[in-house]
Amino acid sequence: MSEVAIIGAGYYGFKPITDEVSFREGTFLAAMRAYEQCNIDPRKDVDSFIACEEDFNVGIAISNEFAVDQLGGVLKPVSTVTSESLIGLASGYMLIKSGLCDIVVVEAHSKASNLVSPEKILEFAMDPVYERFLNFHPNYLASLEARNYMEKRGISNDDLALIIKKNKENGLLNPRASYSITVDLEAVKKSEKIFDPLSEYDIAQYTDAFVVVVLASKEKAEKLSNKPVWIEGLYWCSESSLTPLRGFSTNALELAAQKVYDRTNLNPKYIDFFEIDDRFSYRELMHIEALKVSNKDTIKKDLREGRFSKEGDRIVNASGGYLATGVPLDAGGLARVYEAFLQLRNEAGQMQLKNANRCLIASWRGIPTSTYAVCALSNGA
Amino acid sequence: MENRTSRLLRYPGDMEAESYLYTVGPLAEQFLLSIKNEGKIKAAYCKNCGRLFLPVRSFCTFCGKEVNELREIDQEGVVESFSKVKLDSFGKELKEPFYLAYIKFRNVEGGLLHKLGEVKEPKIGMKVKPVFKESKERIGSLEDILYFRPI
Ligand SMILES: [Zn+2]
C-alpha cells in the first residue's frame, strides 16, 4: 500500500462575501491554483475527484452533479462525500491506498453568503419530532452545552475570552482570517450574552471559501513535488444523531483521535501544532480534552498559563481558527489542511511556526451533529 | 474574475422543502400517545442490554437490538443545563424569551429538550416535573407538555 501525500493545495475566497464569483468560478480558481502548484493537468493526470457538498448548503438538489465541470473532471470518476471535508479527504486517501488511483483531487467550498437563513438549515438538521418543536435558534444547543461544560470545569466567560483573544489575534497574520481583530477584553466582557452564556464573540461567523487539494501516491508525489506533505493517519467517527440522547459528549472525537494515535504510534507530545474546530470558543477546550492535549483536571490551568498560544508548548489554532477565518461550512476541515500544508512546507509567511513538522487536525460537522474527523500530517522531517 | 468591475447579479431561489409529514415511528407513537392519553413520560426499554432511554425509538442505540417496549419512569427530572432563549429559529427576537433546558430522568439514558416554566433563576441540578396541557387539548406531541417546573 502506497503512502499518500498532499502535493498541491489552492484556495479562493475566505471572505464574508464573494459576490464576484459564483460557486463554480470560486471552485475553478481554487482548483487552478492547486493544479499549478504541482504542475498537473486535471484533464490528463487526475484519476478521480471527490466533492464534499451538502445540498441544503449549496441550495441545489443533487448538487454533486454540479461539481465536475469546474474541477476539470468531466468524463472521469467523481464522487460526493456529503459530510465534513476531512471525511472527503479520507475517501481520496482510500482511493490511493487501495491502489485504484494515483492522483485524486478533493474539493470543498462554502458560499455561506448565498444563504438567506442559515439558521433554518441548521434547524432542519434537528430531529423533527423531538427537537424542532421548540422553535429556537440552533445556537442554543451550543448554549446548553457551554453552560454544562463551564459549570463542570469551573470555567468562566473570562476564560473563554482568552480563547477569543488568542485566536482572533493569531489571525492578524493570516490573509484568510477576515474576522481577525485586536480583542478588547472589556468589550468581550460587556457583550450581551445573546446565546446565554455565550455572546457573539464566542461564536464564529460564516465565510465564503473554496479549497482544493491534490493527493498523490508516493511514487507520483516524489516525481511531482519537492515538498510533499504526508498523511500519516486519519480516522472519523459519529455518535448518536440526537442531541438529547447523547447529551454533551465528544466521545466520537476522542475515539477518532485514539485510532489515529494508535495507528501512527503518535501521542500529543509528538505533535508540533494542532488545528481544531473552534466555531464556539468553549468547544476548543472540549476538543483539546478529547485529543488528550490536556485533560479535565488541567484544562483550566493550561489555558490560563497560555500553553495553547503560539508561544506555548501545545500550539492550538495558530492560524486563528474559525473565530478568525470564519466557518466555511463543510469546507472547514480542508481549510485547516490548507493552513497545515503551508506550515509544514515552511510557506506560512509571517505566520510560520519555528518547529512545524507535524500537525494534527480535528474537524467537527458543527451543531447539531456529533461527526468528527482527525488527520495527522507531516513533512517527513 | 478579471473582467469584472462590479458585483455580479444574484438570482433568487427557494428550496421547496417547507412541508413534510414525518412518520414518528411505532414506539415513538406509543410514547407520544402516552403523553396524550395518560399524561405520562415513558422511556424505551431495551430487553437486551437492560437500558431505559429517551428519546424513544424502536431500536437500541447502545447495543443495536430491536426495542418494542415502553416502561414507566420517575417523572421527576433533573436540569442538566439551560439557556435563556431570546432568538427564534429565524434568528428573530422573541417577544417572550423562554428558558430552554436539557432534562434527564433517574436511571434513564439520554433525556429531553424542553422549556422551563414558573422559574426565576434556573440552576443546573434543579429538580423539575412536567406540566401538561388539559387532556382535551393534547394532540400526541411533546407540545402537550407546556413546560417543566421546579419541584
Ligand atoms: Zn440495548
Side-chain angles (χ1 to χ4, degrees):
Chain A
M1 285 196 292
S2 172
E3 307 267 294
V4 180
I6 302 168
I7 58 170
Y11 78 91
Y12 183 79
F14 285 99
K15 295 185 282 187
I17 297 172
T18 51
D19 257 355
E20 72 282 11
V21 290
S22 83
F23 75 91
R24 296 181 184 81
E25 291 86 14
T27 302
F28 173 69
L29 290 168
M32 270 207 318
R33 289 161 189 196
Y35 301 157
E36 184 66 22
Q37 199 166 44
C38 50
N39 204 18
I40 59 165
D41 177 347
R43 307 294 301 130
K44 287 194 203 126
D45 302 320
V46 178
D47 299 313
S48 188
F49 298 81
I50 313 268
C52 309
E53 329 269 3
E54 158 58 54
D55 286 2
F56 278 87
N57 284 339
V58 180
I60 294 174
I62 323 176
S63 58
N64 56 320
E65 292 294 317
F66 283 72
V68 285
D69 302 73
Q70 49 269 30
L71 291 170
V74 168
L75 296 174
K76 300 244 186 180
V78 180
S79 41
T80 304
V81 173
T82 306
S83 193
E84 217 291 324
S85 50
L86 218 50
I87 299 173
L89 187 83
S91 286
Y93 174 84
M94 291 188 287
L95 282 172
I96 293 172
K97 273 277 179 194
S98 68
L100 197 62
C101 299
D102 286 316
I103 298 183
V104 177
V105 166
V106 185
E107 174 270 332
H109 70 265
S110 155
K111 251 286 190 179
S113 66
N114 280 178
L115 304 176
V116 177
S117 40
E119 54 283 323
K120 285 307 271 189
I121 293 175
L122 281 186
E123 192 208 26
F124 210 57
M126 287 159 59
D127 186 277
V129 178
Y130 291 111
E131 298 178 324
R132 266 191 238 160
F133 68 99
L134 291 163
N135 181 28
F136 58 86
H137 191 299
N139 279 352
Y140 288 103
L141 289 177
S143 302
L144 293 177
E145 187 178 62
R147 172 162 277 125
N148 183 275
Y149 178 75
M150 290 163 76
E151 171 133 335
K152 274 195 291 200
R153 298 287 183 270
I155 279 167
S156 66
N157 284 97
D158 288 354
D159 290 318
L160 297 186
L162 297 175
I163 298 164
I164 297 162
K165 188 173 173 66
K166 168 178 78 72
N167 292 4
K168 282 192 179 278
E169 293 186 0
N170 280 353
L172 290 169
L173 298 173
N174 185 346
R176 287 163 298 285
S178 293
Y179 299 100
S180 61
I181 191 166
T182 311
V183 173
D184 171 7
L185 286 174
E186 281 307 305
V188 176
K189 234 176 243 183
K190 281 184 199 146
S191 58
E192 189 196 347
K193 306 287 180 281
I194 186 87
F195 295 105
D196 162 49
L198 306 174
S199 78
E200 281 180 336
Y201 280 99
D202 293 284
I203 302 173
Q205 298 185 65
Y206 290 112
T207 191
D208 284 3
F210 307 81
V211 190
V212 172
V213 304
V214 182
L215 306 182
S217 62
K218 186 169 198 285
E219 194 191 330
K220 289 277 182 186
E222 284 168 351
K223 220 175 272 174
L224 292 166
S225 174
N226 55 4
K227 283 198 271 182
V229 165
W230 301 97
I231 300 177
E232 292 194 304
L234 47 77
Y235 215 79
W236 62 104
C237 192
S238 297
E239 204 174 346
S240 170
S241 60
L242 276 173
T243 304
L245 187 56
R246 70 171 183 267
F248 310 121
S249 152
T250 49
N251 289 341
L253 176 58
E254 199 173 321
L255 287 166
Q258 197 55 51
K259 281 277 188 192
V260 170
Y261 290 144
D262 291 346
R263 293 164 87 93
T264 54
N265 285 320
L266 292 172
N267 71 48
K269 282 198 194 92
Y270 298 113
I271 313 286
D272 299 316
F273 62 106
F274 298 83
E275 283 290 329
I276 70 179
D277 190 298
D278 62 328
R279 72 186 68 204
F280 300 104
S281 58
Y282 74 93
R283 265 277 176 168
E284 178 168 300
L285 297 177
M286 288 180 76
H287 298 155
I288 284 172
E289 286 187 36
L291 298 172
K292 302 209 164 73
V293 179
S294 182
N295 63 52
K296 65 180 172 51
D297 301 317
T298 54
I299 186 88
K300 190 163 73 177
K301 186 164 165 281
D302 288 347
L303 170 68
R304 288 179 182 175
E305 287 175 359
R307 297 184 79 165
F308 310 129
S309 74
K310 280 194 285 190
E311 295 73 34
D313 59 344
R314 301 159 199 188
I315 303 169
V316 175
N317 291 333
S319 67
Y322 296 145
L323 287 169
T325 65
V327 180
L329 301 171
D330 280 337
L334 222 49
R336 300 310 186 91
V337 168
Y338 187 86
E339 299 296 344
F341 182 77
L342 291 186
Q343 288 285 353
L344 295 169
R345 284 162 56 106
N346 203 20
E347 292 173 353
Q350 278 187 286
M351 271 197 303
Q352 186 62 49
L353 299 168
K354 270 197 204 107
N355 300 304
N357 297 317
R358 186 175 277 127
C359 174
L360 194 82
I361 301 170
S363 74
W364 172 40
R365 224 182 159 197
I367 49 168
T369 83
S370 63
T371 289
Y372 301 88
V374 176
C375 173
L377 297 177
S378 141
N379 59 15
Chain B
M1 309 291 273
E2 59 185 40
N3 55 344
R4 282 286 154 198
T5 51
S6 63
R7 284 180 161 196
L8 293 187
L9 290 173
R10 286 184 172 212
Y11 196 84
D14 289 310
M15 272 215 183
E16 294 301 330
E18 288 173 12
S19 302
Y20 287 80
L21 290 166
Y22 297 102
T23 307
V24 300
L27 205 59
E29 187 164 306
Q30 288 183 40
F31 164 80
L32 295 171
L33 288 176
S34 67
I35 288 176
K36 181 182 176 211
N37 299 328
E38 302 170 51
K40 266 184 194 161
I41 295 167
K42 294 181 182 174
Y45 174 70
C46 175
K47 274 201 279 278
N48 187 57
C49 70
R51 285 185 176 90
L52 287 160
F53 63 87
L54 281 171
V56 166
R57 46 247 289 238
S58 312
F59 48 87
C60 179
T61 295
F62 304 94
C63 73
K65 294 288 196 281
E66 188 185 356
V67 172
N68 47 30
E69 186 182 341
L70 292 184
R71 286 204 173 171
E72 299 212 358
I73 58 166
D74 192 340
Q75 300 293 290
E76 183 180 302
V78 175
V79 173
E80 283 282 300
S81 193
F82 64 89
S83 177
K84 190 169 198 175
V85 173
K86 298 172 187 168
L87 302 178
D88 72 8
S89 59
F90 276 103
K92 295 220 170 69
E93 218 162 306
L94 284 165
K95 282 202 189 88
E96 290 176 34
F98 65 90
Y99 281 111
L100 172 70
Y102 177 50
I103 297 157
K104 285 181 76 76
F105 300 87
R106 193 175 302 152
N107 299 326
V108 179
E109 305 283 344
L112 293 175
L113 292 173
H114 219 292
K115 291 180 183 183
L116 296 179
E118 302 178 41
V119 60
K120 279 217 180 84
E121 269 188 55
K123 285 202 166 57
I124 290 178
M126 175 185 259
K127 289 182 177 158
V128 291
K129 69 174 196 181
V131 177
F132 293 88
K133 286 183 182 167
E134 294 287 324
S135 58
K136 61 178 187 305
E137 287 173 26
R138 295 183 209 148
I139 56 167
S141 153
L142 280 172
E143 289 176 87
D144 292 345
I145 301 171
L146 287 169
Y147 50 79
F148 283 71
R149 71 166 177 80
I151 297 173

